[in-house]
Amino acid sequence: MRRPVALTAALLVLAAAGIGAVWFAKRTVRWNDARTMPPPLAAAVRAYAKGDAPAGLESVRELLRRYRAPAWEARARVLAATHLARDGRDRDILDVLPKDLAADDPLATHAMLLRARGWLARGAADRAAALAARAASSPGFPGAGEASLTRAQALEAGGAWPQALLALDAAPSAAAAIEAGRLAARHGEREGARRRVAAALLGATATDDVDRLREAIEELFPDPSTRLKPSERPQLAERARHWLDEGRAKTALDLLRLVRPAAAPSAATPAEALVEAEALLKLGRVSEMGAFLARARQADPGAADGAHYLEARRAAVTGNLAAYRAGLNTVALRAAAPWRERALLDLARAGEGAPKAMTLQAYQRYRLAAGERADPLALLREGWAAYDLGRYAEADAAFARTLARS
């Protein structure tokens, strides 16, 4: 009798141990520490940091299965959903974000946008548009631009593409303008597409935006002659000049060549030709300047003055310093603004070195010619030129003028 009893007892012990192991594995762990991440979430963060998205997602799922961690659950869900969106797995977002977060949660608006992308991927355009609209209108939300794009995609998917255009027009960004251009072109509104992208390009304030918008207009309108209207060409030259003055010669050059077949010099306006010639000068491509200088010389006297100034600058680059100084002196004596002032300033800078009265006089001539347009740095150099010569009263006056302009 003892052996069967012992065997039965052993089996019961083993069964109890198995049940205990299963219970231990499946039990819900309460995690009330708001400062320390639960182990599965810490593992997910490490996995995502290493680029192992599947392991990161599995760790988040383990957290959601086994842990009750009120301080960390929302963050874990948004973390997983963000990486799913980044990996193009929008359909799976709703598996980890099945409902909105609490309205007072700091990540609530971000979760709303992620859920909008999830619903859009699953074909629920109306729900996606509603969620994206709420996210886009949330004050201070840094992803408002992306939310507007998602809303527009959802509206178009639901057949309401005119409303999608309105939503994009209300979002002032390069990305929205590009998407609006593509949307309008898809639905046959070619002029609307051109107008939107061109306006954004001519108003862009960041070089990255200029590059993206330029590529978009090239994609939508392969024929350079259809990209801008003649009435927009003066603004194109102004924007190219702006980027050139900002030290972005290549950006200026790319803008100007957007509207001409194979960058033909004969198709450039005089203003465009001057900016392009100077951009080529700053890029060290002086051998390409000739045709643009010739184009500028054929125009009005102001453009011709600019061409003569740039020819002098080109002479300096090629090592012909005599022609450089002679050219600058001619422009400084005869040209109109702004080329006369630029020539005077170059002559003043060329005289810097050992203290010389001629250098001070050159800076003074520049200041008198430029007036309110005088470069503050040139005013400061005038002060130092006077100081080096021991002419302290003139130096004090120059420094005072500099401070008054700052």
Side-chain angles (χ1 to χ4, degrees):
M1 284 295 291
R2 290 183 179 178
R3 298 180 72 181
V5 171
L7 182 59
T8 301
L11 291 173
L12 288 172
V13 170
L14 289 173
I19 293 169
V22 171
W23 173 84
F24 183 81
K26 292 187 175 182
R27 85 191 195 285
T28 299
V29 179
R30 291 183 176 275
W31 192 273
N32 296 320
D33 187 344
R35 294 186 176 182
T36 306
M37 285 189 289
L41 181 55
V45 170
R46 288 194 299 270
Y48 283 129
K50 294 177 181 178
D52 191 351
L57 179 59
E58 183 53 40
S59 293
V60 170
R61 285 174 172 161
E62 181 187 352
L63 172 77
L64 299 177
R65 282 194 309 266
R66 293 193 52 215
Y67 281 71
R68 286 196 61 189
W72 299 99
E73 181 179 335
R75 302 183 198 184
R77 290 183 181 277
V78 172
L79 174 68
T82 299
H83 281 274
L84 287 170
R86 191 174 298 168
D87 295 340
R89 297 176 57 185
D90 289 12
R91 288 183 60 86
D92 298 331
I93 289 174
L94 296 176
D95 293 338
V96 294
L97 267 177
K99 60 183 181 180
D100 288 341
L101 300 184
D104 61 349
D105 192 295
L107 296 174
T109 308
H110 189 53
M112 201 180 299
L113 172 56
L114 289 165
R115 281 172 45 74
R117 293 183 59 169
W119 283 118
L120 180 59
R122 295 191 181 192
D126 290 344
R127 297 185 72 168
L131 283 169
R134 287 168 57 197
S137 62
S138 180
F141 178 46
E146 183 184 351
S148 296
L149 294 179
T150 302
R151 182 191 177 204
Q153 292 167 358
L155 287 169
E156 184 184 17
W161 68 267
Q163 287 80 4
L165 271 179
L166 291 175
L168 291 169
D169 289 342
S173 70
I178 292 169
E179 186 58 33
R182 288 171 176 163
L183 175 59
R186 282 197 297 271
H187 293 277
E189 289 196 3
R190 301 285 296 171
E191 175 53 23
R194 188 207 66 78
R195 176 173 46 81
R196 286 175 171 88
V197 182
L201 175 67
L202 296 175
T205 57
T207 53
D208 288 346
D209 287 344
V210 171
D211 291 339
R212 292 166 61 198
L213 287 158
R214 178 178 53 78
E215 290 169 0
I217 204 169
E218 288 173 345
E219 168 199 325
L220 291 168
F221 301 94
D223 181 0
S225 64
T226 63
R227 292 169 183 164
L228 291 183
K229 288 187 173 298
S231 60
E232 295 166 327
R233 293 283 288 271
Q235 191 178 357
L236 177 72
E238 290 174 7
R239 293 309 295 168
R241 167 61 64 186
H242 164 78
W243 291 116
L244 186 61
D245 292 342
E246 290 290 314
R248 305 283 185 173
K250 186 177 186 308
T251 299
L253 200 61
D254 290 341
L255 264 183
L256 293 169
R257 296 190 170 186
L258 186 68
V259 294
R260 300 201 303 275
S266 60
T269 66
E272 291 170 2
L274 281 176
V275 178
E276 185 150 349
E278 189 168 355
L280 291 167
L281 175 70
K282 291 187 175 183
L283 291 170
R285 295 160 58 179
V286 294
S287 62
E288 301 174 45
M289 293 173 61
F292 296 99
L293 294 175
R295 175 74 181 95
R297 281 196 300 270
Q298 297 168 0
D300 58 273
D305 288 342
H308 292 311
Y309 169 76
L310 292 175
E311 284 173 339
R313 293 280 305 277
R314 180 176 61 173
V317 173
T318 58
N320 191 344
L321 297 183
Y324 169 63
R325 294 191 67 87
L328 288 183
N329 279 313
T330 300
V331 174
L333 287 172
R334 302 176 184 173
W339 307 108
R340 179 169 180 255
E341 290 91 334
R342 293 184 66 175
L344 285 168
L345 183 55
D346 286 350
L347 286 168
R349 288 170 175 163
E352 288 186 346
K356 289 184 291 187
M358 289 180 58
T359 301
L360 175 59
Q361 292 166 4
Y363 274 117
Q364 290 171 337
R365 283 196 301 272
Y366 163 73
R367 172 172 50 81
L368 293 172
E372 293 298 319
R373 298 187 303 275
D375 183 351
L377 183 58
L379 300 180
L380 181 62
R381 285 176 167 171
E382 179 188 341
W384 283 116
Y387 183 86
D388 289 341
L389 290 168
R391 296 161 67 165
Y392 301 122
E394 292 177 69
D396 288 342
F399 292 146
R401 283 190 292 268
T402 305
L403 290 172
R405 291 285 302 276
S406 61

